[in-house]
Short mmCIF file of all heavy atoms in Angstrom, two decimals:
data_model
loop_
_atom_site.label_atom_id
_atom_site.label_comp_id
_atom_site.label_asym_id
_atom_site.label_seq_id
_atom_site.Cartn_x
_atom_site.Cartn_y
_atom_site.Cartn_z
N GLY A 222 4.47 33.20 -18.23
CA GLY A 222 3.30 33.21 -19.09
C GLY A 222 2.92 31.80 -19.53
O GLY A 222 1.74 31.42 -19.54
N VAL A 223 3.95 31.01 -19.89
CA VAL A 223 3.68 29.61 -20.27
C VAL A 223 3.13 28.84 -19.06
O VAL A 223 2.23 28.01 -19.20
CB VAL A 223 4.96 28.96 -20.81
CG1 VAL A 223 4.71 27.49 -21.13
CG2 VAL A 223 5.45 29.69 -22.05
N SER A 224 3.65 29.13 -17.86
CA SER A 224 3.16 28.47 -16.65
C SER A 224 1.69 28.81 -16.40
O SER A 224 0.90 27.96 -16.00
CB SER A 224 4.00 28.88 -15.43
OG SER A 224 5.33 28.43 -15.56
N LEU A 225 1.33 30.08 -16.63
CA LEU A 225 -0.07 30.47 -16.46
C LEU A 225 -0.96 29.73 -17.46
O LEU A 225 -2.09 29.33 -17.12
CB LEU A 225 -0.22 31.98 -16.65
CG LEU A 225 0.34 32.85 -15.51
CD1 LEU A 225 0.39 34.32 -15.95
CD2 LEU A 225 -0.54 32.70 -14.27
N TRP A 226 -0.46 29.53 -18.65
CA TRP A 226 -1.23 28.79 -19.64
C TRP A 226 -1.39 27.33 -19.21
O TRP A 226 -2.47 26.75 -19.34
CB TRP A 226 -0.52 28.86 -21.00
CG TRP A 226 -1.34 28.31 -22.13
CD1 TRP A 226 -1.28 27.06 -22.66
CD2 TRP A 226 -2.36 29.00 -22.86
NE1 TRP A 226 -2.19 26.92 -23.67
CE2 TRP A 226 -2.87 28.11 -23.83
CE3 TRP A 226 -2.89 30.29 -22.80
CZ2 TRP A 226 -3.88 28.46 -24.72
CZ3 TRP A 226 -3.89 30.64 -23.69
CH2 TRP A 226 -4.38 29.72 -24.63
N LEU A 227 -0.33 26.75 -18.66
CA LEU A 227 -0.40 25.38 -18.18
C LEU A 227 -1.31 25.26 -16.96
O LEU A 227 -1.96 24.22 -16.77
CB LEU A 227 1.00 24.86 -17.84
CG LEU A 227 1.09 23.38 -17.41
CD1 LEU A 227 0.71 22.47 -18.57
CD2 LEU A 227 2.50 23.05 -16.91
N ASP A 228 -1.39 26.31 -16.16
CA ASP A 228 -2.25 26.28 -14.97
C ASP A 228 -3.70 26.03 -15.34
O ASP A 228 -4.48 25.51 -14.51
CB ASP A 228 -2.14 27.60 -14.20
CG ASP A 228 -0.82 27.72 -13.44
OD1 ASP A 228 -0.13 26.69 -13.30
OD2 ASP A 228 -0.47 28.83 -13.02
N ARG A 229 -4.10 26.39 -16.54
CA ARG A 229 -5.47 26.11 -16.98
C ARG A 229 -5.73 24.61 -16.96
O ARG A 229 -6.81 24.16 -16.56
CB ARG A 229 -5.68 26.66 -18.40
CG ARG A 229 -5.49 28.16 -18.50
CD ARG A 229 -5.13 28.64 -19.91
NE ARG A 229 -6.18 28.38 -20.87
CZ ARG A 229 -6.08 27.51 -21.88
NH1 ARG A 229 -4.97 26.81 -22.03
NH2 ARG A 229 -7.07 27.35 -22.71
N TYR A 230 -4.75 23.83 -17.39
CA TYR A 230 -4.91 22.37 -17.42
C TYR A 230 -4.77 21.76 -16.02
O TYR A 230 -5.39 20.74 -15.71
CB TYR A 230 -3.89 21.75 -18.37
CG TYR A 230 -3.94 22.34 -19.77
CD1 TYR A 230 -2.85 23.04 -20.28
CD2 TYR A 230 -5.08 22.22 -20.55
CE1 TYR A 230 -2.89 23.60 -21.55
CE2 TYR A 230 -5.14 22.76 -21.82
CZ TYR A 230 -4.04 23.46 -22.32
OH TYR A 230 -4.10 24.01 -23.57
N LEU A 231 -3.95 22.39 -15.18
CA LEU A 231 -3.79 21.89 -13.82
C LEU A 231 -5.09 21.97 -13.03
O LEU A 231 -5.30 21.21 -12.08
CB LEU A 231 -2.70 22.68 -13.09
CG LEU A 231 -1.26 22.42 -13.55
CD1 LEU A 231 -0.30 23.39 -12.87
CD2 LEU A 231 -0.84 20.99 -13.29
N LEU A 232 -5.97 22.90 -13.42
CA LEU A 232 -7.26 23.00 -12.74
C LEU A 232 -8.08 21.72 -12.89
O LEU A 232 -8.97 21.46 -12.07
CB LEU A 232 -8.07 24.18 -13.30
CG LEU A 232 -7.57 25.58 -12.95
CD1 LEU A 232 -8.38 26.62 -13.71
CD2 LEU A 232 -7.65 25.82 -11.44
N MET A 233 -7.78 20.92 -13.89
CA MET A 233 -8.54 19.70 -14.13
C MET A 233 -8.30 18.65 -13.04
O MET A 233 -9.08 17.70 -12.91
CB MET A 233 -8.19 19.11 -15.50
CG MET A 233 -8.48 20.05 -16.67
SD MET A 233 -10.24 20.40 -16.86
CE MET A 233 -10.85 18.80 -17.31
N VAL A 234 -7.22 18.79 -12.27
CA VAL A 234 -6.91 17.81 -11.23
C VAL A 234 -6.82 18.46 -9.85
O VAL A 234 -6.26 17.88 -8.92
CB VAL A 234 -5.60 17.06 -11.55
CG1 VAL A 234 -5.75 16.27 -12.83
CG2 VAL A 234 -4.43 18.03 -11.68
N GLN A 235 -7.34 19.68 -9.73
CA GLN A 235 -7.32 20.37 -8.44
C GLN A 235 -8.74 20.44 -7.88
O GLN A 235 -9.72 20.47 -8.62
CB GLN A 235 -6.73 21.77 -8.60
CG GLN A 235 -5.25 21.77 -8.97
CD GLN A 235 -4.71 23.17 -9.20
OE1 GLN A 235 -5.45 24.14 -9.21
NE2 GLN A 235 -3.41 23.26 -9.40
N ASN A 236 -8.82 20.50 -6.54
CA ASN A 236 -10.12 20.58 -5.90
C ASN A 236 -10.77 21.93 -6.15
O ASN A 236 -10.12 22.97 -6.07
CB ASN A 236 -9.98 20.33 -4.40
CG ASN A 236 -9.60 18.90 -4.08
OD1 ASN A 236 -9.89 17.98 -4.84
ND2 ASN A 236 -8.93 18.70 -2.96
N ASP A 237 -12.06 21.89 -6.44
CA ASP A 237 -12.83 23.11 -6.67
C ASP A 237 -14.19 22.92 -6.01
O ASP A 237 -15.03 22.17 -6.48
CB ASP A 237 -13.00 23.34 -8.17
CG ASP A 237 -13.68 24.68 -8.47
OD1 ASP A 237 -14.24 25.29 -7.54
OD2 ASP A 237 -13.65 25.11 -9.63
N ASP A 238 -14.38 23.60 -4.88
CA ASP A 238 -15.62 23.48 -4.13
C ASP A 238 -15.81 22.02 -3.70
O ASP A 238 -15.01 21.48 -2.95
CB ASP A 238 -16.78 23.99 -4.97
CG ASP A 238 -18.06 24.14 -4.14
OD1 ASP A 238 -17.94 24.19 -2.91
OD2 ASP A 238 -19.15 24.20 -4.73
N ARG A 239 -16.80 21.34 -4.22
CA ARG A 239 -17.12 19.99 -3.76
C ARG A 239 -16.56 18.90 -4.66
O ARG A 239 -16.76 17.71 -4.39
CB ARG A 239 -18.64 19.83 -3.65
CG ARG A 239 -19.27 20.81 -2.68
CD ARG A 239 -20.78 20.72 -2.70
NE ARG A 239 -21.23 19.37 -2.37
CZ ARG A 239 -22.51 19.03 -2.29
NH1 ARG A 239 -23.45 19.93 -2.54
NH2 ARG A 239 -22.86 17.80 -1.97
N ILE A 240 -15.91 19.26 -5.73
CA ILE A 240 -15.44 18.28 -6.69
C ILE A 240 -13.98 18.52 -7.03
O ILE A 240 -13.41 19.57 -6.73
CB ILE A 240 -16.29 18.30 -7.98
CG1 ILE A 240 -16.14 19.66 -8.68
CG2 ILE A 240 -17.75 17.98 -7.69
CD1 ILE A 240 -16.80 19.73 -10.05
N THR A 241 -13.38 17.54 -7.67
CA THR A 241 -12.08 17.73 -8.31
C THR A 241 -12.33 18.09 -9.76
O THR A 241 -13.13 17.44 -10.44
CB THR A 241 -11.25 16.44 -8.22
OG1 THR A 241 -10.96 16.16 -6.85
CG2 THR A 241 -9.94 16.60 -8.98
N GLY A 242 -11.64 19.13 -10.22
CA GLY A 242 -11.89 19.63 -11.57
C GLY A 242 -12.65 20.93 -11.53
O GLY A 242 -13.28 21.27 -10.51
N PRO A 243 -12.62 21.69 -12.60
CA PRO A 243 -13.27 23.01 -12.60
C PRO A 243 -14.79 22.92 -12.56
O PRO A 243 -15.40 22.18 -13.34
CB PRO A 243 -12.78 23.63 -13.91
CG PRO A 243 -12.42 22.48 -14.78
CD PRO A 243 -11.92 21.41 -13.87
N ALA A 244 -15.38 23.68 -11.64
CA ALA A 244 -16.83 23.86 -11.63
C ALA A 244 -17.16 25.08 -12.49
O ALA A 244 -16.31 25.57 -13.25
CB ALA A 244 -17.33 24.02 -10.21
N TYR A 245 -18.36 25.60 -12.37
CA TYR A 245 -18.80 26.66 -13.28
C TYR A 245 -17.88 27.88 -13.21
O TYR A 245 -17.45 28.41 -14.25
CB TYR A 245 -20.23 27.08 -12.96
CG TYR A 245 -20.75 28.17 -13.87
CD1 TYR A 245 -21.36 27.84 -15.09
CD2 TYR A 245 -20.61 29.51 -13.55
CE1 TYR A 245 -21.81 28.83 -15.94
CE2 TYR A 245 -21.07 30.52 -14.40
CZ TYR A 245 -21.66 30.17 -15.59
OH TYR A 245 -22.11 31.16 -16.44
N THR A 246 -17.56 28.34 -12.00
CA THR A 246 -16.75 29.56 -11.86
C THR A 246 -15.38 29.36 -12.47
O THR A 246 -14.88 30.23 -13.20
CB THR A 246 -16.63 29.94 -10.38
OG1 THR A 246 -17.93 30.16 -9.84
CG2 THR A 246 -15.80 31.20 -10.21
#
Side-chain angles (χ1 to χ4, degrees):
V223 177
S224 295
L225 288 168
W226 189 264
L227 184 66
D228 286 346
R229 299 156 64 248
Y230 306 116
L231 289 173
L232 289 174
M233 300 295 294
V234 296
Q235 294 176 353
N236 291 333
D237 186 347
D238 191 18
R239 300 175 58 179
I240 63 173
T241 296
Y245 181 87
T246 301

